[in-house]
Amino acid sequence: MNAISWFEIPVIDVNRAQNFYENIFGITMLNLDNPNLQMRAFPFENIMDGVSGALVCNKDFYTPTANQGALIYLNANPDLQQVLDKVSEAGGKVFIPKTKINDNFGFMAIFMDTEGNRVGLQSLN
């Protein structure tokens, strides 16, 4: 069982944020917009068996932040450097470069996305 089942990353411009995350991860996000908010989900096979999340735009409920609140780490296996190398070109900023956690947990890095959120990456290599 995973400790996390779903996460949401606040965004100001959902299309700009979608473009950023699709570029750095080489993915296609799913449009889950509804009348109350704009939402783009990260790809998933079966949401009940794993972890996924979305970019969410709702100005009355979400505020991007670079230094407050929870910090999520996205899976960047096999090597987070491949993702991190695309962050600046896609409009983000690297805060903490690839750094070894330990032999069991691999590596981590932290970047700021185009919306002003700090987001972590983790990989085994």
Side-chain angles (χ1 to χ4, degrees), residues 8 11 14 43 59:
E8 294 179 351
V11 302
V14 74
K59 63 181 176 142

Side-chain angles (χ1 to χ4, degrees), residues 17-27 83 86 89-90:
Q18 177 180 355
N19 186 54
F20 174 80
Y21 283 95
E22 285 180 342
N23 277 319
I24 69 170
F25 283 108
I27 60 170
V83 175
K86 299 174 188 174
E89 183 179 311

Side-chain angles (χ1 to χ4, degrees), residues 35-91:
N36 299 315
L37 53 83
Q38 294 177 295
M39 181 182 288
R40 302 298 190 281
F42 288 87
F44 56 87
E45 289 182 26
N46 180 348
I47 195 63
M48 300 311 291
D49 293 331
V51 177
S52 192
L55 309 173
V56 182
C57 181
N58 179 326
K59 63 181 176 142
D60 297 326
F61 193 72
Y62 290 100
T63 304
T65 181
N67 59 8
Q68 297 176 7
L71 175 61
I72 62 164
Y73 284 79
L74 301 176
N75 182 344
N77 279 308
D79 182 349
L80 67 81
Q81 193 62 52
Q82 295 171 356
V83 175
L84 205 60
D85 287 344
K86 299 174 188 174
V87 167
S88 294
E89 183 179 311

